[in-house]
């Protein structure tokens, strides 16, 4: 198979890397092994800065790509700080491992790679590992005033306090958890099966009908509308004579009535006086 068939960059072989690192580091190297296709070098904590300088200047691992933390609670030195180095000229990667605990600080490599300042702050924030020589070792991922280190195995996942940003104090404050409902007791049942009791508020809903997929009643089809014939037209009279009034009464009713006028007063009505 030709090299042109690969769609990803090929790294250089690990052949001879452990031998070269062992010869260059000497007593600084505790263990060298191959793990998941990469070389892992476990070195002494006190000589970390000198070890990293040798790897950068003599073995041509010019770039510090990442610093990661690992927690092994069963170990005496429970934490490992892992440095991922890349050789641009050799197209090769190695990892450098250093062990420590909650008290012993790890020498900072900010003098070799300034980018290590931010990476060491991440490990300190997540695991609580101290770095001696870092001039700005502050939290970088959690909020201000955060207590504890999230990536430690002993960090509580639940509790009775919560944090929020306070506009009054202009910082993150801790407050007791306030729950609108009682979430402390749980019934571990499938939500798809439904509860055997009536939940608060469901008493207003009509009982579930058989075959309904949810607590809400199943929809019914609209009642069919029966078509009805319009009512028959009432019969009217054919001639005026059938009304019972007669032509004379109809003619009199059609004439307008004269308005009633007051009579003029006479001497008899006024007693001879005008």
């Amino acid at each position: 198979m030709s090299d042109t068939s690969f769609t990803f960059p090929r790294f250089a072989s690990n052949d001879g890397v452990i031998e070269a690192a062992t010869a260059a580091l000497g007593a600084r190297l505790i263990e060298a092994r191959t793990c998941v296709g990469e070389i892992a070098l476990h070195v002494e904590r006190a000589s970390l800065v000198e070890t990293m300088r040798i790897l950068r200047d003599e073995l041509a691992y010019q770039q510090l790509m990442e610093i990661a933390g690992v927690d092994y609670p069963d170990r005496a030195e429970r934490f490992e700080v892992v440095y991922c180095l890349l050789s641009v000229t050799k197209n090769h990667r190695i990892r450098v491992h250093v062990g420590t605990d909650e008290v012993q600080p790890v020498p900072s490599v900010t003098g070799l790679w300034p980018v290590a300042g931010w990476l060491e702050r991440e490990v300190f924030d997540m695991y609580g590992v101290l770095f001696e020589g870092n001039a700005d070792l502050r939290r970088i991922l959690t909020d201000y005033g955060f207590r504890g280190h999230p990536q430690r195995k002993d960090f509580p996942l639940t509790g009775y306090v919560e944090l929020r940003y306070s506009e009054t104090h202009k910082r993150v404050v801790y407050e007791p958890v306030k729950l609108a409902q009682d979430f402390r007791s749980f019934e571990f049942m499938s939500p798809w099966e439904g509860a055997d009791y009536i939940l608060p508020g469901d008493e207003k809903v009509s009982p579930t009908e058989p075959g309904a997929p949810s607590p809400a009643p199943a929809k019914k089809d609209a009642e069919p509308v029966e078509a009805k014939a319009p009512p028959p037209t009432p019969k009217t009279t054919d001639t005026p004579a059938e009304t019972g009034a007669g032509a004379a009464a109809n003619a009199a009713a059609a004439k307008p009535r004269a308005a009633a006028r007051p009579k003029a007063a006479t001497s008899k009505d006024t007693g001879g006086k005008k």
Side-chain angles (χ1 to χ4, degrees), residues 41-252:
L41 305 178
H42 294 257
V43 301
E44 292 184 351
R45 181 175 61 250
S47 60
L48 175 64
V49 176
E50 183 64 19
T51 297
M52 302 298 274
R53 187 196 63 78
I54 295 173
L55 293 176
R56 186 193 66 174
D57 298 342
E58 298 182 14
L59 300 184
Y61 288 93
Q62 301 92 350
Q63 293 188 1
L64 173 64
M65 306 304 298
E66 182 61 89
I67 300 179
V70 188
D71 185 9
Y72 299 96
D74 298 333
R75 296 183 181 179
E77 293 185 343
R78 59 180 295 183
F79 300 114
E80 273 192 5
V81 183
V82 183
Y83 300 81
C84 301
L85 303 182
L86 169 66
S87 173
V88 180
T89 54
K90 296 187 295 186
N91 195 20
H92 192 265
R93 295 177 184 267
I94 61 172
R95 299 195 309 268
V96 179
H97 295 245
V98 176
T100 186
D101 53 18
E102 299 93 333
V103 181
Q104 298 295 329
V106 176
S108 175
V109 294
T110 52
L112 299 176
W113 294 284
V115 69
W118 286 66
L119 302 177
E120 290 173 354
R121 287 176 60 183
E122 291 181 354
V123 178
F124 163 72
D125 195 358
M126 294 291 102
Y127 294 92
V129 176
L130 301 176
F131 290 90
E132 184 180 6
N134 190 316
D136 190 19
L137 194 62
R138 295 178 296 132
R139 292 186 181 271
I140 192 173
L141 298 177
T142 55
D143 293 315
Y144 299 104
F146 189 87
R147 294 192 294 267
H149 303 280
Q151 293 297 334
R152 288 191 180 184
K153 303 293 191 300
D154 54 359
F155 186 82
L157 300 180
T158 60
Y160 296 90
V161 294
E162 60 184 358
L163 56 89
R164 66 174 181 86
Y165 182 80
S166 173
E167 288 289 347
T168 303
H169 300 86
K170 300 300 180 182
R171 63 182 181 86
V172 174
V173 297
Y174 283 79
E175 294 178 341
V177 174
K178 298 178 181 178
L179 299 178
Q181 300 180 17
D182 186 9
F183 290 108
R184 296 301 178 185
S185 59
F186 298 92
E187 295 183 4
F188 298 97
M189 59 185 304
S190 173
W192 304 107
E193 297 176 359
D196 297 334
Y197 53 87
I198 299 178
L199 297 176
D202 288 351
E203 65 274 2
K204 304 176 184 178
V205 183
S206 59
T208 305
E209 297 184 4
S214 64
K219 294 183 178 180
K220 296 182 179 180
D221 295 335
E223 295 293 338
V225 179
E226 297 181 1
K228 297 182 180 180
T233 303
K235 185 173 177 58
T236 58
T237 56
D238 297 331
T239 60
E242 296 179 0
T243 61
N250 294 339

